[in-house]
Amino acid sequence: MAERTKITLDESQIPRRWYNVIPDLPSPPPPPLHPATLQPVGPDDLAPLFPMELIRQEVATESYIDIPAEVLEVYRLWRPTPLYRAHRLEKALGTPARIYYKYEGNSPVGSHKPNTAVPQAFYNAAEGTKRLTTETGAGQWGSALAFACAQFGLGCEVWMVRASYDQKPHRRTMMEIYGAAVHASPSRATTAGAKVLADEPDSPGSLGIAISEAVEAAGSSADTRYALGSVLNHVLMHQTVIGEEALAQFAAAGEPLPDLIVGCTGGGSNFAGLFLPFLREKLAGRPNPVIRAVEPTAAPSFTRGRYEYDFGDTAGFTPLMKMHTLGHDFIPDPVHAGGLRYHGMSPLLSHAYELGLFEAVAKPQRETFAAAVTFARAEGIVPAPEPSHAIAAVIEEAKRCAESGQPKVILFNLCGHGHFDMVAYERYLSGEMTDFELSAERIDAALARLPAAG
Amino acid sequence: MAERTKITLDESQIPRRWYNVIPDLPSPPPPPLHPATLQPVGPDDLAPLFPMELIRQEVATESYIDIPAEVLEVYRLWRPTPLYRAHRLEKALGTPARIYYKYEGNSPVGSHKPNTAVPQAFYNAAEGTKRLTTETGAGQWGSALAFACAQFGLGCEVWMVRASYDQKPHRRTMMEIYGAAVHASPSRATTAGAKVLADEPDSPGSLGIAISEAVEAAGSSADTRYALGSVLNHVLMHQTVIGEEALAQFAAAGEPLPDLIVGCTGGGSNFAGLFLPFLREKLAGRPNPVIRAVEPTAAPSFTRGRYEYDFGDTAGFTPLMKMHTLGHDFIPDPVHAGGLRYHGMSPLLSHAYELGLFEAVAKPQRETFAAAVTFARAEGIVPAPEPSHAIAAVIEEAKRCAESGQPKVILFNLCGHGHFDMVAYERYLSGEMTDFELSAERIDAALARLPAAG
């Protein structure tokens, strides 16, 4: 194995089922609550937004759910994804660590997001949905859903945060290639958007406003539903194909399981997708890796947030979810890792963090870009800003191994490439990039506005 | 096989040698000539620009050349590349044709160009070169060479056509991530560039000027050499890993060899890389595919050019090469497929075309983008504008099969993705894209300025 650069699997080895970690946890995560009644949310509350099968998966109690044949057919376009041994990075760092990365950037849209976009589009099509709505920031999730909708003949309508819509037109064009309609948010197409524009005609928008618009548009038509790209249980479960393949790849290569697993966290889905199958092994008493989440210092929900019931969106339209949060109206500073700029965290991961099943660190922006450039020059792939947070933590650990002489086996998730992030790299290379200081006062002020619940 | 979406190979199945077609041809291609003496160019003429091993490969008489272990090590980062069966495209077209594509877009820079950039950097490093220079238009070749130089510790200096430097900054940023220095061409860093700027301070540059600058910079320093991304024999030979893998993939799947092989042509390297190993089978009397080059109507060197000795660059600094040419000072209209905007053609392919070993067609720009959008919605991958020419010809043939009922097996080379071409897609989708009419007068005028030789 030491000599191999990548461990590939044949398409017949794509996992046939998703792994649901909840039955294996010592206790289940607390349920989402209806904000008016503070009672657990039921299927009827969610039916206008999601198809019944996804609502069922959200609260599933079985350990595995079969992946439909129609979804596997589309997964075959890019899965299984390769597991790389980072020989060149190890050499550049002079470390005895053995570094592996699972690469999800060869999907049609360049990230792990289609792993859940495809089943979400499939279940919706199967239950008669004609059109899906969603929000997107930098556009990774929007392009994944646009691709998935094209595969199943669904219409797709995306509300893209105005600032990104203007500054990052290339992701918008990609969505349009797949046939999606893309609105700058706030838009006049919804009451919520029109209201914002009436108050502030030049509003740059926010993810919170875009969610409100997409949810409103889904609710206004019986054959239209809404799709979310992270945070929820079923989304994280769909991503477990990543970790299941990685387990099979370690086994096929006869390599011992990793000592350390690293992933970046925004809503939590790529990190969960990689580590949950390894956590299953750990909970069953087999090897005991350290598992480490890496978040941006600009949105440090694990390391500086509070574990409380809070809204998933800025406007407070969603159910209350118990999660690590910085407060639902906390707006993270504009770091380039747009996929990590979220005030909250997956309730499932938040619960697992409280159970002590993994640890978390935060990284400032410039350290992540320095790590990304080191990685690109060694390994060739130019990483997206989001997984560059994982790379920064891996390089830190590999340097510790160089000092201690420990040949640790490290695995991380390279969840996407940076082909649409060249503006950010240009700012870094030209020395114009800044880190952001996040004061305790700013966090305290946002946390003081948490809703009373639970 | 009918059910498989992609045929993958393990990294142990990367070809171990490149295929040199020249000994298998009924006659060798005419040699390049020194423009002053009109005598064949010798190794000494080329030594200031290229390492001896590449000069040797350019005139090699053996059928196979072993790929060095150090090159194979880097190929492993993305090779073998997948062979896809385009089930979804076939369905969208309602065709009985079985369509396959070899996908080269998963290389670190997103195209087939590293297949030759890596060995060129390796041989230079092995012979003591410290720095490579090159020119680039849209940036595909420049980023491939920058990546390859980073792998072997070489400096890399790229002259990028000013118009592209200003309009397509993202490819420039990618080169800089790999550590390359990128000049807008014309530049003040060379005499050739400074001379152009003295006459025309706002010159948008051209590939011809950029070649002159890169060649001058290479010649001015003993430890600096020059690298070219297409046209030459050794470049085409390095690309034959594509076709060798495709042959192995057809065999592994038990599929009969293709009835039709299609590729786009600018300088000819991706097309040659795919079809030359299949041509070897054809020359040996085995199955007899139709082989079809697809060029843009804006640069139709095969279909409207003349087979004559001409310069490879606009300024006339290169040796004279016998090739299909539109005249060395013919500037193609600004179609978005920048990689196909070349006045000439590989001398080796030009010779093979004269021998009747393949045919050629030309496609206008909007037809290629229409084909690309159809492809992306069906297959997910957003293709670069260059291979979209091949896709347009494949769709045309597949529709003919739908009418005739013939279940032809069609293979084409999807040599790169379009992640850096979203501006072009946006223009197409918004209806702002135009085709260009190329008048007979314009071609005749350029051909009238061909040098007298041969």
Side-chain angles (χ1 to χ4, degrees):
Chain A
M1 171 118 174
E3 295 312 307
R4 293 177 71 175
T5 295
K6 59 189 184 310
I7 299 99
T8 49
L9 301 173
D10 184 81
E11 66 182 34
S12 67
Q13 295 167 284
I14 297 173
R16 289 295 190 270
R17 45 192 204 168
W18 295 300
Y19 170 56
N20 176 23
V21 73
I22 293 174
D24 289 340
L25 294 177
S27 64
L33 303 181
H34 194 288
T37 64
L38 300 186
Q39 294 300 306
V41 165
D44 290 351
D45 297 313
L46 299 172
L49 292 183
F50 301 107
M52 285 315 295
E53 176 56 24
L54 291 177
I55 294 171
R56 193 189 75 73
Q57 291 183 8
E58 189 64 17
V59 295
T61 52
E62 63 269 47
S63 293
Y64 294 95
I65 290 180
D66 288 342
I67 304 175
E70 295 88 342
V71 171
L72 286 171
E73 275 304 306
V74 185
Y75 277 177
R76 286 196 180 102
L77 286 172
W78 74 96
R79 305 211 71 85
T81 64
L83 176 73
Y84 276 89
R85 169 79 186 272
H87 288 296
R88 290 160 184 75
L89 180 64
E90 294 168 17
K91 197 174 159 196
L93 299 173
T95 181
R98 301 208 296 285
I99 304 173
Y100 292 87
Y101 55 97
K102 185 75 170 157
Y103 183 46
E104 293 288 309
N106 285 345
S107 81
V109 298
S111 78
H112 65 296
K113 292 291 186 188
N115 294 334
T116 183
V118 170
Q120 290 194 47
F122 166 73
Y123 290 121
N124 271 287
E127 295 187 27
T129 304
K130 299 296 182 204
R131 191 174 61 130
L132 282 176
T133 69
T134 199
E135 72 288 334
T136 199
Q140 284 272 17
W141 166 244
S143 43
L145 193 68
F147 155 69
C149 285
Q151 288 291 319
F152 294 102
L154 293 177
C156 183
E157 209 161 346
V158 182
W159 274 263
M160 186 175 189
V161 175
R162 161 66 77 180
S164 297
Y165 184 92
D166 290 340
Q167 290 163 21
K168 302 187 178 180
H170 296 183
R171 276 280 174 198
R172 163 164 53 97
T173 301
M174 191 180 220
M175 293 184 253
E176 290 170 348
I177 290 171
Y178 293 126
V182 185
H183 307 271
S185 169
S187 75
R188 297 195 191 285
T190 67
T191 308
K195 187 158 175 292
V196 174
L197 287 174
D199 293 345
E200 189 186 351
D202 296 326
S203 166
S206 75
L207 216 43
I209 296 166
I211 294 176
S212 304
E213 293 202 87
V215 167
E216 180 187 324
S220 68
S221 164
D223 59 5
T224 302
R225 287 197 173 82
Y226 169 75
L228 192 64
S230 189
V231 176
L232 300 181
N233 297 346
H234 69 271
V235 177
L236 273 56
M237 186 183 69
H238 296 158
Q239 295 292 353
T240 59
V241 290
I242 301 172
E244 296 287 10
E245 287 179 6
L247 270 170
Q249 285 161 319
F250 272 84
E255 177 78 357
L257 289 179
D259 300 305
L260 173 66
I261 297 175
V262 180
C264 65
T265 48
S269 77
N270 94 79
F271 176 57
L274 178 64
F275 89 78
L276 288 178
F278 287 88
L279 179 64
R280 175 186 60 215
E281 306 302 302
K282 179 172 175 170
L283 291 169
R286 285 185 281 273
N288 192 9
V290 172
I291 300 169
R292 187 172 298 155
V294 190
E295 57 189 13
T297 52
S301 48
F302 279 131
T303 54
R304 297 178 72 187
R306 203 180 287 166
Y307 185 51
E308 294 280 5
Y309 270 102
D310 195 6
F311 293 108
D313 69 325
T314 306
F317 289 174
T318 71
L320 290 166
M321 297 181 288
K322 188 138 188 194
M323 62 181 175
H324 291 85
T325 181
L326 297 157
H328 62 279
D329 63 1
F330 176 84
I331 306 287
D333 285 319
V335 290
H336 289 279
L340 309 183
R341 289 183 64 235
Y342 186 57
H343 69 274
M345 179 49 60
S346 146
L348 173 55
L349 286 197
S350 294
H351 177 62
Y353 186 66
E354 288 299 307
L355 291 172
L357 296 173
F358 64 89
E359 58 187 47
V361 297
K363 288 287 174 194
Q365 176 160 255
R366 283 185 295 189
E367 181 182 344
T368 67
F369 274 86
V373 169
T374 297
F375 184 88
R377 290 184 187 177
E379 295 289 316
I381 297 166
V382 177
E386 291 83 359
S388 298
H389 287 70
I391 295 172
V394 167
I395 288 179
E396 180 178 53
E397 186 78 28
K399 287 182 175 170
R400 272 191 220 122
C401 290
E403 285 167 25
S404 70
Q406 267 194 294
K408 279 192 188 176
V409 176
I410 302 173
L411 168 65
F412 74 95
N413 197 5
L414 183 50
C415 63
H417 63 61
H419 298 169
F420 292 85
D421 300 285
M422 291 296 153
V423 171
Y425 275 99
E426 200 283 330
R427 288 180 62 82
Y428 172 74
L429 292 170
S430 65
E432 287 168 33
M433 183 176 281
T434 52
D435 290 332
F436 295 93
E437 290 295 323
L438 176 52
S439 69
E441 290 72 23
R442 212 169 121 211
I443 297 179
D444 289 346
L447 290 175
R449 292 187 294 271
L450 280 176
Chain B
M1 171 118 174
E3 296 311 309
R4 292 177 71 175
T5 295
K6 60 188 183 313
I7 298 99
T8 50
L9 301 173
D10 184 81
E11 67 181 32
S12 67
Q13 295 167 285
I14 296 172
R16 289 295 189 270
R17 45 192 205 166
W18 294 300
Y19 169 57
N20 177 22
V21 74
I22 293 175
D24 290 339
L25 294 176
S27 64
L33 303 181
H34 194 288
T37 64
L38 298 186
Q39 294 301 305
V41 166
D44 289 351
D45 297 314
L46 299 172
L49 292 183
F50 301 108
M52 286 313 297
E53 175 58 22
L54 291 177
I55 295 171
R56 195 189 73 73
Q57 290 184 9
E58 189 65 17
V59 295
T61 53
E62 63 268 47
S63 293
Y64 294 95
I65 290 181
D66 287 341
I67 304 175
E70 295 87 342
V71 172
L72 287 170
E73 274 304 305
V74 185
Y75 277 178
R76 286 195 180 102
L77 286 172
W78 75 95
R79 304 211 71 83
T81 63
L83 176 73
Y84 276 89
R85 169 79 185 273
H87 288 296
R88 290 161 184 76
L89 180 63
E90 293 168 17
K91 197 174 158 195
L93 299 173
T95 181
R98 301 208 296 284
I99 303 173
Y100 292 87
Y101 55 98
K102 184 75 170 154
Y103 182 46
E104 294 288 309
N106 286 346
S107 82
V109 299
S111 79
H112 66 294
K113 291 290 186 189
N115 295 333
T116 185
V118 170
Q120 290 194 48
F122 166 73
Y123 290 121
N124 271 287
E127 295 188 26
T129 305
K130 300 296 183 205
R131 192 175 60 130
L132 282 176
T133 69
T134 199
E135 70 289 334
T136 199
Q140 284 272 16
W141 166 244
S143 44
L145 193 68
F147 155 69
C149 286
Q151 288 291 318
F152 293 103
L154 293 178
C156 182
E157 209 160 346
V158 182
W159 274 263
M160 186 174 188
V161 176
R162 162 65 78 182
S164 296
Y165 184 92
D166 290 339
Q167 289 162 21
K168 301 186 178 180
H170 295 183
R171 276 278 174 199
R172 164 164 53 96
T173 300
M174 192 181 219
M175 292 184 253
E176 291 170 348
I177 291 171
Y178 292 127
V182 185
H183 306 273
S185 170
S187 76
R188 298 196 190 284
T190 67
T191 308
K195 187 160 176 290
V196 174
L197 288 174
D199 293 344
E200 189 186 351
D202 296 327
S203 166
S206 75
L207 215 43
I209 297 166
I211 293 176
S212 304
E213 293 203 88
V215 168
E216 180 188 325
S220 67
S221 164
D223 60 4
T224 301
R225 287 197 174 82
Y226 168 74
L228 193 65
S230 190
V231 176
L232 300 180
N233 297 346
H234 68 270
V235 177
L236 272 56
M237 186 184 69
H238 296 158
Q239 294 293 353
T240 59
V241 291
I242 301 171
E244 296 287 11
E245 286 179 6
L247 270 170
Q249 286 161 318
F250 272 86
E255 177 80 356
L257 288 179
D259 301 304
L260 173 66
I261 297 176
V262 180
C264 64
T265 49
S269 77
N270 95 78
F271 176 56
L274 177 65
F275 89 77
L276 287 177
F278 288 87
L279 179 63
R280 175 187 59 214
E281 306 301 303
K282 179 173 175 170
L283 292 168
R286 284 185 281 275
N288 192 10
V290 173
I291 300 170
R292 186 172 298 155
V294 190
E295 57 188 16
T297 53
S301 49
F302 279 132
T303 54
R304 298 178 71 187
R306 204 180 287 165
Y307 184 52
E308 295 280 5
Y309 270 100
D310 196 7
F311 294 107
D313 68 326
T314 306
F317 290 173
T318 70
L320 290 166
M321 297 181 287
K322 186 136 188 197
M323 59 182 178
H324 290 86
T325 180
L326 298 158
H328 61 279
D329 63 0
F330 177 84
I331 305 287
D333 285 319
V335 291
H336 289 279
L340 308 183
R341 291 184 62 234
Y342 186 58
H343 69 274
M345 179 49 61
S346 148
L348 173 55
L349 286 197
S350 293
H351 178 63
Y353 186 66
E354 289 298 307
L355 292 171
L357 296 173
F358 63 88
E359 58 186 49
V361 297
K363 289 287 175 194
Q365 174 159 257
R366 283 185 295 190
E367 181 181 344
T368 68
F369 275 86
V373 169
T374 297
F375 184 87
R377 290 184 186 177
E379 295 289 316
I381 297 166
V382 177
E386 291 83 0
S388 298
H389 287 70
I391 295 171
V394 167
I395 288 178
E396 180 179 51
E397 186 76 31
K399 285 181 175 169
R400 274 191 219 121
C401 291
E403 284 166 25
S404 69
Q406 267 194 294
K408 281 193 186 174
V409 176
I410 303 173
L411 167 65
F412 74 96
N413 197 4
L414 184 51
C415 63
H417 63 60
H419 298 169
F420 292 84
D421 301 286
M422 290 297 152
V423 171
Y425 275 100
E426 199 282 329
R427 288 179 63 84
Y428 173 73
L429 292 169
S430 65
E432 286 166 32
M433 183 175 282
T434 53
D435 289 333
F436 295 94
E437 289 296 323
L438 175 52
S439 68
E441 291 72 20
R442 214 171 119 209
I443 296 179
D444 289 345
L447 290 175
R449 292 186 294 272
L450 279 177

